[in-house]
Amino acid sequence: MRIALLARVHLGTVAVLFVLTLSACLLVAGLPRAMQASYDEAMRRSLSGAPAVQADLTVTVASRSQEEDLHERGQFDSRDRLWHEIVPPALRPLVVTGGHMSAKTALTPVTGTGGLMYINLGWLSDADRRVDWVRGRAPGAPATMRYEGETIPVFEVGIVEEALREMDLRVGQTKLLGENEYVAVKIVGAFRAKDPEDRYWSHNSDILHVAKVQPPGELGFEKHITTLMPDQGLTALSGEGRNLFYHWILPIGAGAASALAAPGIDAAVTEFGRVVALQSSSTASPYRLETGLPKLLDDFLAALATAQTVMYLVLGGLLAVALGVIALAVQLLADRMDHTLTMARARGGSLRQVAGTAAALTGLAVAPAALAGYALSYLVPGPVLPIVHVGPVLVVVVAVGFAAARLAVTHRTPLHERRDDVAAARPSARRVTLEVLVVVLALAGAYLLRARGLTSDPFLLLVPLALTLAAALVTLRCYPYPLRLLVRLTGRGRAAVPFLGLTRAARARSASVLPVLILLPALGVSVFAAVISDGIASTQRVASWEQVGAPIRMTSRIEIPAAQIDQVRKTAGVEQVVLAQTARVQVGYGAERAEAIAVDVAQWRAILGDAPVSLPALSDGALVSPELRGRGTFEIGWQSRVKLATRGVIDSVPGFYTNGKFIVVPLSVLTRPAVNTLLIKGDAAPAELARLVPSATVESQSQALEAIRDDPLTFTVRWTLLVVTVALALYALAAVVLSLVVGASERARAVSFLRTLGLSDRQAQRLTVLEILPMILVTALVGLGLGLGLPPALGPAVDLSSYAGDLPVGGYALDLVMPSALAIGLACVAVLGAYAHTAISRRRNLGAVLRVGDLS
């Protein structure tokens, strides 16, 4: 047959098929690329946002004797080159230049302080590029001195400015270190970091800040600081008699990170650690790899697995619906060619020729469209995944295969005639058994999914699709029964149109009903996506309030002066300020400690307003964490000894504590509150508040919410859900229109018969609406129920907390706005289509519809 001629004759249907195939291939090839690009960006943010000490690779070794000491920079450099050479290939793209080396002592006590002050010796390979000397001078070569009849080294060191104040030290002072193996340090200068916010200092926070440690059972604090010495200091630095550790830092860069390579990177880190340990043969102390990169990768992969699960569900539903709509368009094309192919079959055409003609014409429509969609998908940034290549091919194969198979079955005998419109065909026992089996397996899978989760069996991913198929089968089998009841009721009336319309709807052939059931997965998945997206959005808002605890929160490590508090109150946008003090307090008289916050709870509750978090009322006593419950009246040490009665148990304190031991008390229990926290109501600029109180960290609920939403994985999940929802809604509308057009010829013939009997145009319109609308409404309601039921049905199997500030997403609100809009839109399209169909049929000549003998 002449395929080109058939294409011109059926150009409109071919164009529809082309557009549907183009959109399906663009979605199935483009969305995975966009998603994978966002996964890569999420991994890069995870690595770059983590502290360097956690993400980077640190090779460390302890020196226990003079034989293991390293006294020259060259010895460090040679080992540094070795570590870079043995990095596994999978890990090598992430290791970037710019690392450094260090030598540090640990727990080096200041002689005579009773273990309350520690000054450690430190050397950084790039200290000259990292610090500015603001007092005194840079340290020089070590010297010696006599102490207790022995000659001991005296190291010239520099110390961070903060330590001069915190540890009561001064430039020019000499301190003796150790309890038996003594050394001395002479503080010749004080420095300041060039860029204190640089991730570099994550590895060396002991040099930049004084660490305060409270020993168990003690009220006082130990103070630790690490000094800086020059390269010359290495010549006298020995691990004999003290804790000396050498470190080589291999920094990890996020620029080359790929989510697809994450599992391999995890394995490469393990391999690198093994190879590093093998280099320990020449030393008594083993080399060790220290890094938090595997933990970072595990957390990322856990969040990624959840994102991929949700994406598999919605994209699988999208692909199924797209293929169903394309199959509807193919069915429409086949119906339009039916007369031509019937004549060809009757004139001796083989079944292979008939099926081949349908396949060729369908391929002529879908192959260029698939190629165009595949090409357009390359405009979407992101790596090329196998689905990018496989998806368009799958669409073409399904469309061409369906066309060939359908016409092969239809035209297996010449001059086929059927009168399935008179009575509904009864399904075979085998078919009923298979459908019951599908329903039972879907319900069993749903139970296992809730009980065991997705991690136990990847095949459980198919459960949502099985539930959709089960709902479709149940709908297909059960919907005629209520219609037949309505037929009996309308049969008792005098009006013929309701009886005829509902009778035709109840007796519709399964082949004509099944395409309409494409609406069920379309509505089910789109409603599911809308519900999930709304659940994530609402939980994100709760999480932002849980993180901050107020519209704006200011926290300081030191007391905030009253003058600065007054300035905050006068700042534009500030409506109310609630004072609070936080501290770690002693519980009872032993070593037990708890986090505490003293605040006017009534004022705090007032500034929270209608926020989704709150606290119980408290006028006296204390609110305690679950770990402190059951103590009745207890005593704490905070400025003074205070007895408190337990007034309630709370699981968390918004903005402050979520686990462990914590207490909330009224601010009035403190003899002189040292306010270090401000809870602010209003919309003041955080930057302005931070300028007024330099010692404070300012956080706002709106910024916290924006940060949660700005996460690449979170953004991708919500964006993809939105795109899929819109696409499925459009496919559902296309399915309604195509289902109207597919049955248009048969419907026009029936209406033409009735018009010869006196059916008016208005009655014809009502008849068409009553024939079409019941199936669409039933399918829309079932799809709506399926979409609303899937999130609770999946239950704990899909953990979405990674996209909602680490709060579990559950208790999905029953928001019917979007689902109702979809259902109403489909009903409206069906009604408008019915009216358009009758308007077109009215212009037809009855002789063009009815054959000779049809009226006899």
Side-chain angles (χ1 to χ4, degrees):
M1 293 186 184
R2 299 175 61 184
I3 304 301
L5 178 59
L6 286 174
R8 287 198 302 269
V9 172
H10 305 291
L11 184 59
T13 308
V14 170
V16 170
L17 187 55
F18 180 92
V19 172
L20 290 175
T21 305
L22 174 65
S23 63
C25 292
L26 177 58
L27 288 172
V28 77
L31 280 179
R33 293 191 64 175
M35 289 160 47
Q36 191 60 47
S38 69
Y39 297 158
D40 293 344
E41 177 62 22
M43 183 174 176
R44 288 191 284 267
R45 287 203 186 183
S46 177
L47 292 178
S48 60
V53 70
Q54 184 179 8
D56 293 346
L57 305 174
T58 302
V59 179
T60 183
V61 66
S63 177
R64 305 296 184 189
S65 63
Q66 294 182 1
E67 291 75 17
E68 297 174 321
D69 294 338
L70 302 181
H71 295 300
E72 298 178 357
R73 177 186 284 266
Q75 294 175 297
F76 284 90
D77 290 337
S78 62
R79 285 165 175 77
D80 184 62
R81 289 191 295 270
L82 173 63
W83 306 140
H84 281 83
E85 289 172 359
I86 64 176
V87 171
L91 190 58
R92 196 163 294 159
L94 293 182
V95 178
V96 297
T97 59
H100 67 282
M101 302 164 286
S102 67
K104 297 177 184 178
T105 65
L107 297 175
T108 309
V110 177
T111 305
T113 60
L116 293 180
M117 183 181 293
Y118 294 83
I119 297 181
N120 300 308
L121 299 169
W123 169 80
L124 294 178
S125 61
D126 56 352
D128 56 332
R129 297 188 293 107
R130 298 293 182 177
V131 302
D132 289 323
W133 297 96
V134 294
R135 299 191 197 179
R137 60 176 175 84
T144 59
M145 65 176 286
R146 299 288 295 177
Y147 180 74
E148 293 186 353
E150 296 183 2
T151 301
I152 63 173
V154 179
F155 294 93
E156 287 194 357
V157 299
I159 198 167
V160 70
E161 270 190 312
E162 175 186 311
L164 297 179
R165 179 184 66 255
E166 293 287 337
M167 301 179 68
D168 193 23
L169 300 173
R170 65 183 183 276
V171 175
Q173 188 176 27
T174 299
K175 287 286 187 180
L176 195 66
L177 308 180
E179 300 296 343
N180 43 43
E181 295 289 337
Y182 298 103
V183 297
V185 293
K186 183 178 181 181
I187 303 173
V188 298
F191 62 82
R192 183 183 301 159
K194 291 180 181 291
D195 183 7
E197 304 302 323
D198 194 321
R199 297 177 72 245
Y200 168 93
W201 290 108
S202 170
H203 289 285
N204 304 293
S205 59
D206 58 325
I207 293 177
L208 206 59
H209 299 289
V210 175
K212 297 180 180 179
V213 180
Q214 187 175 31
E218 300 290 337
L219 294 178
F221 289 89
E222 297 176 357
K223 295 182 179 181
H224 300 249
I225 192 62
T226 299
T227 59
L228 275 182
M229 63 182 182
D231 292 357
Q232 299 94 315
L234 292 174
T235 59
L237 185 62
S238 175
E240 188 169 1
R242 60 184 52 84
N243 302 312
L244 175 61
F245 299 92
Y246 302 129
H247 309 276
W248 291 263
I249 312 300
L250 281 66
I252 294 296
S258 168
L260 292 174
I265 294 172
D266 199 351
V269 172
T270 302
E271 174 63 15
F272 185 48
R274 185 187 69 82
V275 176
V276 164
L278 293 177
Q279 311 304 314
S280 306
S281 57
S282 61
T283 177
S285 300
Y287 288 102
R288 294 180 296 108
L289 176 64
E290 296 178 352
T291 179
L293 186 57
K295 176 65 166 56
L296 279 176
L297 293 174
D298 290 344
D299 292 344
F300 169 76
L301 289 174
L304 178 62
T306 302
Q308 290 175 329
T309 298
V310 176
M311 296 302 100
Y312 289 151
L313 294 179
V314 296
L315 290 181
L318 176 62
L319 179 59
V321 170
L323 291 175
V325 175
I326 290 173
L328 265 179
V330 172
Q331 181 178 341
L332 174 61
L333 181 61
D335 288 348
R336 294 294 171 85
M337 294 191 301
D338 185 72
H339 179 69
T340 303
L341 296 179
T342 300
M343 294 297 294
R345 187 80 167 109
R347 292 175 179 176
S350 68
L351 189 61
R352 179 179 298 178
Q353 288 177 318
V354 171
T357 300
L361 183 58
T362 304
L364 182 64
V366 300
L371 186 60
Y374 174 76
L376 288 174
S377 70
Y378 278 82
L379 299 177
V380 179
V384 180
L385 305 175
I387 187 63
V388 175
H389 308 301
V390 175
V393 175
L394 177 63
V395 172
V396 172
V397 169
V398 169
V400 174
F402 178 74
R406 185 185 184 282
L407 287 175
V409 172
T410 302
H411 295 278
R412 61 184 180 275
T413 57
L415 298 176
H416 61 283
E417 292 287 344
R418 56 182 181 271
R419 293 298 303 274
D420 292 339
D421 59 312
V422 176
R426 291 186 177 181
S428 64
R430 181 181 299 176
R431 183 172 178 178
V432 171
T433 303
L434 181 61
E435 292 175 355
V436 171
L437 179 62
V438 169
V439 174
V440 172
L441 289 177
L443 295 176
Y447 171 78
L448 291 176
L449 190 64
R450 287 186 58 86
R452 298 164 56 183
L454 284 168
T455 56
S456 61
D457 189 350
F459 288 104
L460 291 178
L461 269 173
L462 301 175
V463 168
L465 297 179
L467 287 173
T468 303
L469 178 59
L473 292 174
V474 171
T475 303
L476 178 63
R477 292 299 167 210
C478 295
Y479 98 95
Y481 297 107
L483 285 182
R484 290 174 185 174
L485 178 62
L486 290 176
V487 168
R488 290 187 179 183
L489 294 177
T490 55
R492 298 177 182 178
R494 300 180 60 183
V497 171
F499 173 76
L500 291 173
L502 293 176
T503 299
R504 285 184 56 81
R507 291 184 175 183
R509 295 181 292 113
S510 60
S512 63
V513 172
L514 191 57
V516 183
L517 290 181
I518 296 171
L519 296 174
L520 194 144
L523 281 173
V525 176
S526 62
V527 171
F528 167 76
V531 171
I532 288 291
S533 181
D534 183 69
I536 292 175
S538 60
T539 308
Q540 286 174 340
R541 182 170 178 268
V542 175
S544 66
W545 281 100
E546 289 281 3
Q547 289 180 10
V548 181
I552 302 175
R553 185 188 68 190
M554 301 180 66
T555 55
S556 173
R557 291 182 299 170
I558 60 176
E559 182 179 358
I560 302 176
Q564 293 181 351
I565 297 176
D566 291 337
Q567 288 180 325
V568 170
R569 285 196 172 102
K570 297 174 183 177
T571 303
V574 173
E575 301 177 18
Q576 184 178 354
V577 177
V578 178
L579 309 182
Q581 181 181 349
T582 60
R584 185 170 178 81
V585 301
Q586 181 184 29
V587 180
Y589 289 91
E592 186 177 15
R593 296 291 189 273
E595 302 294 336
I597 178 171
V599 63
D600 188 322
V601 176
Q603 292 184 10
W604 192 1
R605 285 162 55 91
I607 69 170
L608 288 174
D610 59 352
V613 297
S614 185
L615 283 170
L618 178 70
S619 57
D620 63 345
L623 301 173
V624 300
S625 65
E627 295 187 18
L628 294 174
R629 74 168 71 220
R631 303 199 180 193
T633 299
F634 61 97
E635 190 170 331
I636 65 171
W638 189 4
Q639 294 185 352
S640 62
R641 306 300 303 183
V642 180
K643 288 187 176 180
L644 300 167
T646 301
R647 301 302 186 193
V649 178
I650 52 176
D651 295 325
S652 65
V653 180
F656 294 92
Y657 318 118
T658 58
N659 53 59
K661 299 177 181 180
F662 53 83
I663 307 169
V664 180
V665 300
L667 191 64
S668 58
V669 305
L670 300 181
T671 54
R672 194 199 72 82
V675 175
N676 58 10
T677 302
L678 302 180
L679 304 174
I680 302 170
K681 179 181 180 181
D683 57 357
E688 176 63 18
L689 296 176
R691 186 187 65 81
L692 295 176
V693 186
S695 64
T697 301
V698 183
E699 299 176 85
S700 71
Q701 180 269 332
S702 59
Q703 288 178 334
L705 181 58
E706 183 179 354
I708 294 173
R709 290 176 175 173
D710 192 47
D711 177 78
L713 281 182
T714 303
F715 175 79
T716 300
V717 168
R718 296 201 64 195
W719 176 80
T720 305
L721 291 175
L722 176 61
V723 171
V724 169
T725 301
V726 174
L728 287 173
L730 294 177
Y731 276 131
L733 295 176
V736 171
V737 174
L738 286 174
S739 64
L740 287 169
V741 178
V742 166
S745 178
E746 183 181 344
R747 196 176 302 110
R749 187 166 176 269
V751 171
S752 298
F753 270 119
L754 295 173
R755 284 176 60 192
T756 63
L757 301 177
L759 188 73
S760 67
D761 291 340
R762 184 178 297 275
Q763 288 175 322
Q765 292 172 346
R766 292 171 55 199
L767 176 66
T768 306
V769 170
L770 287 173
E771 179 185 348
I772 297 172
L773 202 56
M775 187 62 213
I776 292 177
L777 290 179
V778 170
T779 307
L781 289 175
V782 175
L784 175 62
L786 179 67
L788 294 175
L790 274 178
L794 295 178
V798 179
D799 180 14
L800 299 171
S801 60
S802 300
Y803 319 115
D806 294 327
L807 286 185
V809 179
Y812 299 99
L814 190 62
D815 186 1
L816 298 179
V817 175
M818 176 65 76
S820 300
L822 291 173
I824 293 173
L826 293 177
C828 291
V829 170
V831 172
L832 292 176
Y835 277 90
H837 167 71
T838 53
I840 295 172
S841 300
R842 185 168 61 248
R843 296 196 299 268
R844 291 183 178 179
N845 188 349
L846 292 182
V849 179
L850 303 179
R851 295 176 297 179
V852 176
D854 281 342
L855 299 177
S856 61

